[in-house]
Amino acid sequence: MSVPEGDVPEFFPGVGPVRYAGPDSDDPLAFRWYDADRVVAGKPMAEHLRMAVCYWHSFVWAGADVFGAGTFDRPWTAPGRDPMEAAAQKMAAAFEFMAKLGAPYFCFHDRDLAPPGATFAESCARLDALVDQALGHMERTGVRLLWGTANLFSHPRFAAGAATSPDPEVFAHAAAQVAHVLEATHRMGGANYVLWGGREGYETLLNTDLRREEAQLARFLHLVVEHKYRIGFEGAILVEPKPAEPAKHQYDHDVATVAGFLVRHGLDGEVRLNLEANHATLAGHSFHHEVATAAALGVLGSIDANRGDAQNGWDTDQFPNSVEECTLVLYEVLRAGGFTTGGVNFDARLRRQSVDRDDLVHAHVGAMDTLARALLAAVSLLESGELEAFRHDRYAAWDGPLGAAILDGGRSLADLHRLVLDDDLDPRPASGRQELLERVVNRHVEQARWP
Ligand code: XLS
Ligand code: CA
Ligand code: CA
């Protein structure tokens, strides 16, 4: 199937390639901190952060919400046009934008790239045609794929779940769709494949068999992992936790819940996680907590850096703008050895009043600068060794004779009972120094500069 491209105009005419201009610049269309090729902590900044533009919020969504229509100036979504031609124009706009921004990666759902067809076969053919076209744009611009994913939540057939549907034909449909998108992701050299289960949950327990749904979800993930090996996809399979929205309760609640699920079903070692800042907030955690927990449990994969709003309880998906929050997150990433297949996706959308095309540029330049400055602060904090020295000393007694014997299983509860009685043990609290450590972090955030 060939894709009619039509005449492709320039969609971001006032925007040249976005350049690094340094911290003193007040040019809103230049980076103040993100200097892609400059080396920090052993590798170029771009390779540390592996930042990605998301196709859906930036190029598909037109600014509609549940109360009102789209507000954005997005000529490539103009109604009445042939849907494949519109998809080709949208793709041209996306790659023009990413190339001008200098974003090294992007992420997509199948339905973002290609309009669904009347049958599954037609949907597949349409996606294949647009993937061919994307390969041309990727070759031309050098933009790579951080991850692909299948949209298993928009179509009405998924209303009661995809893998966790009460109907095995829906499971089969979801499996077929994932097989196709995993193959497309493989063809595009994707570094990861993501599964986010917005409909994998329940609206009421009155009609839900929790035991069956968990077993179905586990079987689905095993099928995805088997298929990855069958087709030779070398990227990582990532699950993205989120506690709710659109479902009242989603099974992939948070990092700890998903990590337990993976172990329970023999999927640990095969599946890692994609962590979103806003989903952490919805789960009642900080983003720092989710990333630190994933690192501690060995399941850290990639991150979606879009944040929520402290004053409301839904998924506002705003562009990141807190250097301090991102510093703590990147500190954990660096401490865990840095990203391997993962990176930083901006699964973020503009506010509905940010109607101009330029607003997309400002949002991304600001977000990339926030992450860049946070990376410099996180590197400085890690290289100073200040937090690690404190943490090391705080637990040092666990490497002594008593701590080691307890952990090795060499002391029973009765042994410890006797020890405390006989030696009259009376440990004294040691200061946790929280306020001091917070000042350490702030000092590195304040002072972080390009060397
Ligand atoms: C929605 C999710 C979604 C995933 C990809 O809240 O964040 O966008 O990242 O399906
Ligand atoms: Ca989100
Ligand atoms: Ca996300």
Side-chain angles (χ1 to χ4, degrees):
M1 179 187 279
S2 71
V3 182
E5 287 187 54
D7 288 336
V8 181
E10 190 180 8
F11 289 107
F12 297 90
V15 182
V18 181
R19 306 262 178 235
Y20 173 74
D24 297 329
S25 167
D26 57 9
D27 178 356
L29 291 179
F31 295 119
R32 297 175 57 239
W33 299 97
Y34 181 65
D35 195 359
D37 298 328
R38 194 137 145 211
V39 173
V40 54
K43 56 185 176 185
M45 186 170 245
E47 283 178 31
H48 276 286
L49 294 170
R50 298 163 59 84
M51 290 191 279
V53 169
C54 96
Y55 209 95
W56 52 102
H57 286 319
S58 294
F59 302 102
V60 182
W61 184 56
D65 68 12
V66 284
F67 293 99
T71 52
F72 295 161
D73 171 32
R74 298 286 183 270
W76 54 88
T77 61
R81 190 185 281 161
D82 168 73
M84 288 300 277
E85 187 185 315
Q89 296 255 323
K90 178 171 65 180
M91 186 172 280
F95 278 92
E96 180 196 331
F97 176 85
M98 294 188 281
K100 286 180 168 173
L101 185 66
Y105 289 94
F106 76 108
C107 298
F108 75 95
H109 301 83
D110 46 356
R111 296 292 175 259
D112 307 331
L113 294 194
T119 61
F120 179 72
E122 192 188 7
S123 296
C124 289
R126 286 179 162 194
L127 180 63
D128 291 346
L130 280 145
V131 166
D132 286 343
Q133 201 175 322
L135 286 168
H137 285 292
M138 292 168 75
E139 170 85 35
R140 181 175 56 77
T141 58
V143 177
R144 287 167 288 164
L145 178 62
L146 186 64
W147 48 264
T149 186
N151 179 329
L152 303 181
F153 44 88
S154 294
H155 194 282
R157 78 171 64 87
F158 298 125
T164 60
S165 169
D167 181 349
E169 290 190 4
V170 174
F171 183 110
H173 231 287
Q177 201 177 323
V178 169
H180 203 84
V181 183
L182 184 55
E183 286 164 30
T185 301
H186 181 40
R187 211 146 64 82
M188 295 162 88
N192 306 273
Y193 182 85
V194 166
L195 293 126
W196 169 65
R199 305 285 179 194
E200 311 293 21
Y202 62 77
E203 295 303 326
T204 173
L205 285 171
L206 300 180
N207 64 13
T208 302
D209 186 330
L210 289 172
R211 189 189 52 78
R212 276 183 188 274
E213 294 202 2
E214 163 143 348
Q216 289 169 218
L217 193 54
R219 187 88 285 277
F220 194 86
L221 272 179
H222 274 290
L223 293 177
V224 175
V225 170
E226 281 164 28
H227 200 67
K228 158 187 157 152
Y229 288 112
R230 184 167 302 135
I231 64 175
F233 176 63
E234 288 177 2
I237 303 292
L238 306 178
V239 164
E240 182 175 324
K242 184 175 182 182
E245 196 203 348
K248 170 192 163 65
H249 173 88
Q250 284 156 212
Y251 298 130
D252 299 333
H253 193 90
D254 61 1
V255 168
T257 307
V258 178
F261 171 90
L262 295 177
V263 171
R264 214 157 44 245
H265 296 284
L267 287 155
D268 48 320
E270 293 292 355
V271 176
R272 288 185 278 137
L273 305 190
N274 181 46
L275 308 175
E276 184 179 304
N278 204 155
H279 300 178
T281 316
L282 296 179
H285 302 306
S286 64
F287 193 23
H288 186 196
H289 166 96
E290 286 293 78
V291 175
T293 304
L297 300 179
V299 291
L300 179 59
S302 197
I303 67 175
D304 281 7
N306 41 295
R307 68 192 161 96
D309 182 300
Q311 273 78 49
N312 64 23
W314 70 89
D315 199 10
T316 58
D317 283 335
Q318 287 166 253
F319 283 85
N321 69 350
S322 163
V323 173
E324 185 183 346
E325 180 182 38
C326 294
T327 298
L328 296 174
V329 163
L330 291 178
Y331 182 80
E332 298 299 335
V333 171
L334 291 172
R335 208 171 147 239
F339 290 122
T340 52
T341 61
V344 179
N345 175 39
F346 299 119
D347 185 356
R349 56 202 157 87
L350 297 170
R351 297 308 88 193
R352 193 162 171 267
Q353 296 175 62
S354 302
V355 296
D356 293 344
R357 273 173 262 166
D358 281 4
D359 288 311
L360 264 184
V361 185
H362 293 302
H364 282 88
V365 171
M368 290 168 78
D369 257 355
T370 298
L371 267 295
R373 180 131 200 264
L375 177 68
L376 296 177
V379 166
S380 159
L381 188 57
L382 192 65
E383 288 181 346
S384 79
E386 289 171 85
L387 294 187
E388 297 320 309
F390 184 80
R391 212 188 311 248
H392 174 270
D393 291 351
R394 189 162 184 245
Y395 293 92
W398 280 99
D399 297 326
L402 176 62
I406 292 172
L407 290 181
D408 291 351
R411 293 287 181 281
S412 65
L413 219 55
D415 293 337
L416 296 173
H417 186 236
R418 204 172 321 111
L419 173 75
V420 174
L421 277 179
D422 294 354
D423 291 7
D424 194 20
L425 289 192
D426 185 18
R428 299 280 152 175
S431 174
R433 299 262 184 259
Q434 180 170 337
E435 296 77 7
L436 174 69
L437 298 175
E438 287 168 350
R439 288 187 65 209
V440 169
V441 171
N442 282 350
R443 175 160 46 78
H444 287 277
V445 169
E446 271 161 45
Q447 294 177 355
R449 291 281 178 282
W450 273 111

